[in-house]
């Protein structure tokens, strides 16, 4: 057997058996869709999947840096997708990354590096990433993510302790290596598209298909190739679609009834159609339905979240940012402004969300994401008292909007609103206790 030094990424699904027991068909459909996105990220970063078994996936990368970047992209894409589901239906991966010498047996890899990667994933939180010390040293300073030193850990069937580091997920600021558009293959016709938005190209199926698309504000002149020129209108007919009298109730009825809705022209029907296409793995159909709904200029936040996650998963984060930049320019709403802000990372995203809250203090969903920016889940040990205070104040505004009846109008699927509220209440209560304890402790110390 040939031996070489390589980097191994191992992952499996958290509580997969329970998810299957609760709803086998839906879980397997989502796993298939998530795996397609997973495989796309692995290929984009030059990796190779060498083993799959059940819900686990093992990958090989030439460098630790590409393995970590892949893991970050995978977890971020899945985290965004899960926002549209109740927490008990979240499909989350744990990821472990190790580097070292392996033996290659007909494409399958064996060795201590493989075993350590598999054990590291058990140390990661749901949706988290755990790496061995050698990987941390190789990527430190090259990716803008905070690491937490877990120290020497004894793991099953590994004779010596493993020095492990965890990424303080989801606090990541890494951009994808590419836009998700495949490189130009040989003898593939080039299509020049005049005056069309990037989102229009995606929903038309050109970018994801076998054609290579080149964009131009006008028809290109004097080009050397024999490409076709297509002209698409900047404003889509979807803007004229009608909104039903009670959209949330209509969406609920459609979801309970099931089946495919033909010739849907209302927001609830488009949303239902998009979700159905997505569950079936029909990405092009989901793109079309989500985009038509996005062009209506409405402020329902949950369809936008799912659409952004879909674009990011299949076309990359840079493409999702460009899609929402165009949407917000063409049909500006508070919802498109928020989704555009969410396509950024780190201080830039935080600044955009703060600015949105300042400009639209009555836009309740923005407070939920402002709280998330300053949460312990995002910042980990870096969360300071000021962050807790901002998170607490933002959650207070979010819950106040619900008490005053101003929240439900931003959701087509009220079950998602209910889940957000439950999470907000739990975090609010926890923070209230923490801040009270800190205040009492400070006062006691001062009196002493």
């Amino acid at each position: 057997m040939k031996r070489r030094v390589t980097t191994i990424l191992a992952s499996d699904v958290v509580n997969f058996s329970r998810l299957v027991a609760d709803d086998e068909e839906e879980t397997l459909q989502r796993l298939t869709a998530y795996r397609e996105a997973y495989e796309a990220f692995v290929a984009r970063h030059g990796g190779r999947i060498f083993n799959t078994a059940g819900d686990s996936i093992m990958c090989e990368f030439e460098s630790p840096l590409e393995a970590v970047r892949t893991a970050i992209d995978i977890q971020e894409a899945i985290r965004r997708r899960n926002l549209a589901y109740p927490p008990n239906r979240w499909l989350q991966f744990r990821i472990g990354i190790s580097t070292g010498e392996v033996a290659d047996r007909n494409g399958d890899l064996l060795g201590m590096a493989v075993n350590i990667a598999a054990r590291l994933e058990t140390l990661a939180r749901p949706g988290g990433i755990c790496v061995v010390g050698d990987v941390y040293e190789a990527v430190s300073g090259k990716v803008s993510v905070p690491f937490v030193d877990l120290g020497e850990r004894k793991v099953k069937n590994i004779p010596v302790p493993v020095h492990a580091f965890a990424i303080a997920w989801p606090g990541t600021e890494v951009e994808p290596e590419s836009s998700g558009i495949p490189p130009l293959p040989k003898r593939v016709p080039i299509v020049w598209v005049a005056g069309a938005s990037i989102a229009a190209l995606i929903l038309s199926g050109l970018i994801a298909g076998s054609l290579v698309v080149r964009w131009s504000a006008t028809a290109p002149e004097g080009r050397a190739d024999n490409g076709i020129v297509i002209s698409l209108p900047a404003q889509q007919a979807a803007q004229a679609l009608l909104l039903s009298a009670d959209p949330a109730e209509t969406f609920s009825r459609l979801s309970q009834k099931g089946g495919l809705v033909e010739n849907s022209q209302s927001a609830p029907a488009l949303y239902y159609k998009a979700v159905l296409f997505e569950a079936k793995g029909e990405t092009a159909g989901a793109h079309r339905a989500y985009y038509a709904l996005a062009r209506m200029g409405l402020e329902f936040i949950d369809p936008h979240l799912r659409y952004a996650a879909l674009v990011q998963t299949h076309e990359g984060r840079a493409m999702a940012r460009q899609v929402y930049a165009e949407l917000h320019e063409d049909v500006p709403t508070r919802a498109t402004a928020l989704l555009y802000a969410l396509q950024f990372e780190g201080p830039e995203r935080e600044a955009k969300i703060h600015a949105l809250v300042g400009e639209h203090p009555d836009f309740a969903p923005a407070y939920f994401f402002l709280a998330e920016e300053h949460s312990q889940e995002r910042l980990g040990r870096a969360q300071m008292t000021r962050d807790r205070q901002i998170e607490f104040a933002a959650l207070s505004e979010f819950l106040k909007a619900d008490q005053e009846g101003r929240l439900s109008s931003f959701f087509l699927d009220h079950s998602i609103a209910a889940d957000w509220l439950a999470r907000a209440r739990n975090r609010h209560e926890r923070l209230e206790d923490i801040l009270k304890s800190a205040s009492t402790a400070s006062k006691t110390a001062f009196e002493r």
Side-chain angles (χ1 to χ4, degrees):
M1 290 187 291
K2 296 180 180 179
R3 303 188 72 86
R4 64 175 181 275
V5 175
T6 191
T7 299
I8 303 297
L9 184 154
S11 67
D12 67 0
V13 177
V14 181
N15 295 325
F16 183 66
S17 298
R18 178 186 62 77
L19 291 169
V20 170
D22 290 345
D23 191 334
E24 180 176 352
E25 184 175 357
E26 190 267 350
T27 299
L28 295 179
Q29 286 177 343
R30 285 176 61 199
L31 179 61
T32 299
Y34 284 20
R35 274 193 170 180
E36 289 176 357
Y38 191 119
E39 291 168 4
F41 284 124
V42 171
R44 187 177 302 165
H45 289 282
R48 176 182 75 91
I49 295 176
F50 66 85
N51 197 341
T52 61
D55 60 306
S56 66
I57 304 175
M58 304 288 286
C59 313
E60 175 191 18
F61 293 85
E62 291 184 0
S63 76
L65 181 59
E66 293 307 317
V68 171
R69 283 175 168 169
T70 301
I72 290 169
D73 283 347
I74 289 170
Q75 295 293 41
E76 177 68 6
I78 291 175
R79 187 181 71 87
R80 294 284 175 82
R81 280 194 168 198
N82 280 333
L83 285 175
Y85 293 91
N88 67 326
R89 293 299 302 161
W90 285 359
L91 198 158
Q92 296 175 293
F93 284 91
R94 287 190 178 97
I95 293 179
I97 303 175
S98 178
T99 189
E101 188 177 72
V102 298
D104 188 332
R105 185 177 64 183
N106 299 324
D108 192 15
L109 302 183
L110 306 170
M112 189 63 72
V114 178
N115 298 338
I116 291 176
R119 298 308 177 197
L120 283 174
E121 74 183 47
T122 65
L123 299 180
R125 293 184 300 169
I129 303 165
C130 189
V131 306
V132 74
D134 290 345
V135 172
Y136 167 74
E137 292 177 3
V139 304
S140 181
K142 298 177 182 178
V143 291
S144 301
V145 293
F147 283 87
V148 176
D149 189 344
L150 301 181
E152 299 285 341
R153 294 296 186 95
K154 180 69 176 175
V155 293
K156 185 179 178 181
N157 295 334
I158 304 298
V160 296
V162 176
H163 195 170
F165 291 80
I167 291 178
W169 189 256
T172 170
E173 299 174 12
V174 176
E175 287 290 336
E177 289 295 296
S178 69
S179 65
I181 302 176
L184 179 63
K186 295 180 179 179
R187 295 189 182 143
V188 173
I190 298 174
V191 177
W192 289 89
V193 182
S197 69
I198 292 295
L201 300 182
I202 293 174
L203 71 89
S204 70
L206 292 176
I207 285 180
S210 59
L211 302 179
V212 175
V213 178
R214 295 291 182 266
W215 184 89
S216 175
T218 59
E221 298 179 0
R223 61 186 187 276
D225 61 89
N226 295 320
I228 307 165
V229 176
I230 299 175
S231 179
L232 296 178
Q235 298 296 326
Q236 301 296 314
Q239 285 179 297
L241 297 180
L242 300 176
L243 178 64
S244 61
D246 192 342
E249 182 180 346
T250 302
F251 176 76
S252 178
R253 286 203 307 268
L254 288 170
S255 300
Q256 292 172 8
K257 179 182 177 182
L260 187 62
V261 178
E262 298 292 344
N263 301 320
S264 54
Q265 291 189 332
S266 69
L270 282 169
Y271 188 26
Y272 169 73
K273 195 173 182 178
V275 172
L276 185 63
F277 275 130
E278 193 175 359
K280 292 167 65 178
E282 298 179 15
T283 305
H287 269 302
R288 284 192 287 270
Y290 278 130
Y291 183 65
L293 176 52
R295 299 285 307 192
M296 293 178 74
L298 306 173
E299 292 199 323
F300 298 117
I301 194 68
D302 42 324
H304 280 295
L305 285 169
R306 293 192 67 141
Y307 181 41
L310 183 70
V311 176
Q312 186 181 110
T313 298
H314 292 278
E315 309 297 336
R317 192 179 305 164
M319 183 65 73
R321 181 185 302 177
Q322 190 164 351
V323 166
Y324 267 90
E326 292 176 353
L327 278 172
H328 188 55
E329 182 177 352
D330 291 346
V331 280
T333 65
R334 293 176 294 181
T336 55
L338 177 58
L339 264 295
Y340 177 59
L342 292 177
Q343 304 318 306
F344 292 84
E345 287 298 333
E348 193 169 4
R349 176 166 66 181
E350 181 185 338
K352 288 182 181 297
I353 296 174
H354 272 280
L356 181 62
V357 168
E359 187 176 356
H360 302 287
D362 59 336
F363 185 43
Y367 287 102
F368 185 85
F369 287 99
L370 178 61
E372 185 183 64
E373 284 300 300
H374 293 273
S375 67
Q376 186 178 25
E377 287 75 11
R378 178 169 289 277
L379 300 177
R381 295 182 181 178
Q383 188 191 39
M384 308 299 289
T385 300
R386 177 179 174 276
D387 294 304
R388 295 190 186 98
Q389 291 169 342
I390 294 174
E391 182 186 6
F392 182 77
L395 290 173
S396 298
E397 289 295 327
F398 181 75
L399 295 172
K400 179 182 176 183
D402 176 60
Q403 293 169 359
E404 296 176 352
R406 296 185 287 109
L407 181 63
S408 61
S409 61
F410 296 109
F411 292 85
L412 267 174
D413 187 347
H414 280 180
S415 67
I416 295 175
D419 291 327
W420 282 29
L421 282 168
R423 290 156 59 192
R425 290 189 185 105
N426 289 336
R427 288 162 59 187
H428 190 267
E429 291 175 3
R430 175 176 57 82
L431 282 167
E432 189 172 27
D433 291 339
I434 292 173
L435 292 173
K436 281 182 178 178
S437 298
S439 176
T440 302
S442 298
K443 183 177 178 181
T444 302
F446 178 77
E447 287 177 348
R448 286 177 182 174

